[in-house]
Amino acid sequence: MGYRACFDIGGTFIKFAVVSEAGELFLQGKTETPTKNVTMYIPQILSEKVAYFREYYPIENIGISSCGIVDHNKGVILFSANIEGYSGFPLAHEISEFTGLSISVENDVRSACLGEMWLGAAQGKENVVLLTLGTGVGGAIIQNGRLVSGAGNLAGELGHMSIIHNGENCPCGGKGCFERYASTSSLIRYYQTIVGQEESIDGKEIMSKIKQGETAAIKAYQEFIDYLSTGLVNIAHLFNPECIIIGGGITEQGESFINEVNSKYKEKVMPLYRESTKIVLAELHNDAALYGAFVHAGNFVKN
Ligand SMILES: [Zn+2]
């Protein structure tokens, strides 16, 4: 039985577990992501965990899922907006110095997509797109069973496809990006515009207002679904995946959410795509990227 040390490095937490070939997670936990001296502390945290894992399991190698733009072939973090001092960091090299094991590093949304293909919503599928809806919108594309990376590892930034010409300003420098219209922050913006006040509210509170049947919250939610489905239509027309998986906190609504998204999507997409590309919910949630780290550490491991 193969065991790999798997990590998911996010802006707030570093999650970890030993993942087995059978898809079991052992010694699972999380620790806060350091906010200073990350190039020293992150390798230190990961190396200590690996040493601990090795007391219990024969660890073959290490799979790391990380936020930011990742050069998978070189194991380098090209850019990170969430962790200060992390951009340009040769993560794979540093960890292998400490552990002597081979390392595979890939972006977290791409990792999550691989995880969903292994054990989640896209099992047995070869053409898959994953969208994560949070403060922003993350994306990953798999075609013919392989991650689409692009010329500079930049493929799949679906949150930054422009859906409104000269629309809302986006932190990426663009205007009218999909994530300005289909993220939790946009749902909040719609709500605030409708109620006409700047009252601070989060996505969860809006969701509970929707459940209570509050008109303004329902209106904001429908606007959100409307924009989301527009982006889904673009993705379906571009890639015609077997499924587009949607993950993120907002999907906690479950069946009612995905049914509404599907019905709006089917209204807008070309008829042939209605059955060909289905919109489904993510299944692995917080563990998806850890499972995906196991997958890419197996398929594409670099020595
Ligand atoms: Zn953007």
Side-chain angles (χ1 to χ4, degrees):
M1 172 91 74
Y3 297 93
R4 296 184 185 133
C6 296
F7 296 90
D8 179 15
I9 303 175
T12 318
F13 290 108
I14 297 177
K15 296 175 200 155
F16 52 84
V18 173
V19 183
S20 80
E21 211 176 283
E24 299 152 305
L25 302 180
F26 302 103
L27 305 177
Q28 187 176 14
K30 65 179 181 182
T31 182
E32 279 181 24
T33 307
T35 50
K36 276 183 246 170
N37 294 332
V38 295
T39 56
M40 182 178 84
Y41 288 127
I42 290 179
Q44 196 176 316
I45 291 166
L46 269 59
S47 304
E48 281 171 12
K49 285 292 162 209
V50 171
Y52 165 63
F53 292 160
R54 286 171 114 174
E55 290 174 25
Y56 299 91
Y57 296 94
I59 303 295
E60 289 174 355
N61 53 36
I62 302 170
I64 303 172
S65 144
S66 175
C67 60
I69 297 171
V70 175
D71 182 333
H72 169 70
N73 292 318
K74 295 191 177 131
V76 173
I77 309 302
L78 295 176
F79 176 76
S80 166
N82 299 324
I83 305 177
E84 207 187 313
Y86 194 41
S87 299
F89 185 50
L91 183 63
H93 176 77
E94 292 291 319
I95 314 280
S96 70
E97 292 267 285
F98 278 105
T99 62
L101 293 171
S102 59
I103 320 278
S104 172
V105 190
E106 184 53 277
N107 161 269
D108 52 3
V109 184
R110 291 182 184 177
S111 298
C113 194
L114 293 171
E116 292 286 347
M117 284 176 73
W118 181 27
L119 294 168
Q123 288 179 56
K125 300 198 172 17
E126 295 258 291
N127 294 284
V128 178
V129 170
L130 173 70
L131 272 187
T132 56
L133 310 182
T135 339
V137 172
I141 303 157
I142 306 242
Q143 282 194 305
N144 305 319
R146 295 186 69 90
L147 270 170
V148 176
S149 303
N153 289 293
L154 305 174
E157 286 291 347
L158 299 167
H160 299 286
M161 63 180 172
S162 183
I163 62 162
I164 305 289
H165 173 65
N166 271 339
E168 294 274 327
N169 287 327
C170 182
C172 77
K175 279 180 190 288
C177 293
F178 183 40
E179 76 166 35
R180 294 290 95 221
Y181 296 88
S183 54
T184 315
S185 27
S186 53
L187 174 65
I188 294 167
R189 190 179 74 238
Y190 303 143
Y191 182 77
Q192 287 172 331
T193 308
I194 292 165
V195 299
Q197 60 199 47
E198 288 292 307
E199 93 177 78
S200 92
I201 186 162
D202 63 22
K204 273 213 166 95
E205 289 170 286
I206 297 180
M207 295 321 268
S208 83
K209 283 177 189 288
I210 293 164
K211 279 197 191 123
Q212 291 157 19
E214 193 197 284
T215 316
I218 292 169
K219 230 174 133 189
Y221 183 61
Q222 275 158 356
E223 196 167 353
F224 168 81
I225 302 258
D226 204 2
Y227 280 114
L228 173 61
S229 59
T230 296
L232 292 171
V233 167
N234 288 341
I235 294 166
H237 288 164
L238 275 168
F239 305 108
N240 183 212
E242 291 155 273
C243 61
I244 303 174
I245 306 169
I246 304 185
I250 207 137
T251 61
E252 278 167 26
Q253 296 267 99
E255 286 304 308
S256 74
F257 167 79
I258 209 69
N259 291 342
E260 284 184 66
V261 172
N262 266 296
S263 84
K264 263 280 175 246
Y265 159 77
K266 285 179 180 171
E267 272 174 32
K268 295 180 186 181
V269 79
M270 267 195 266
L272 271 176
Y273 292 79
R274 285 178 195 149
E275 292 310 314
S276 184
T277 294
K278 297 215 157 49
I279 318 298
V280 300
L281 285 172
E283 289 177 5
L284 302 177
H285 307 289
N286 291 329
D287 296 333
L290 280 177
Y291 285 117
F294 180 93
V295 174
H296 62 72
N299 288 354
F300 321 105
V301 75
K302 297 276 292 176
N303 286 302

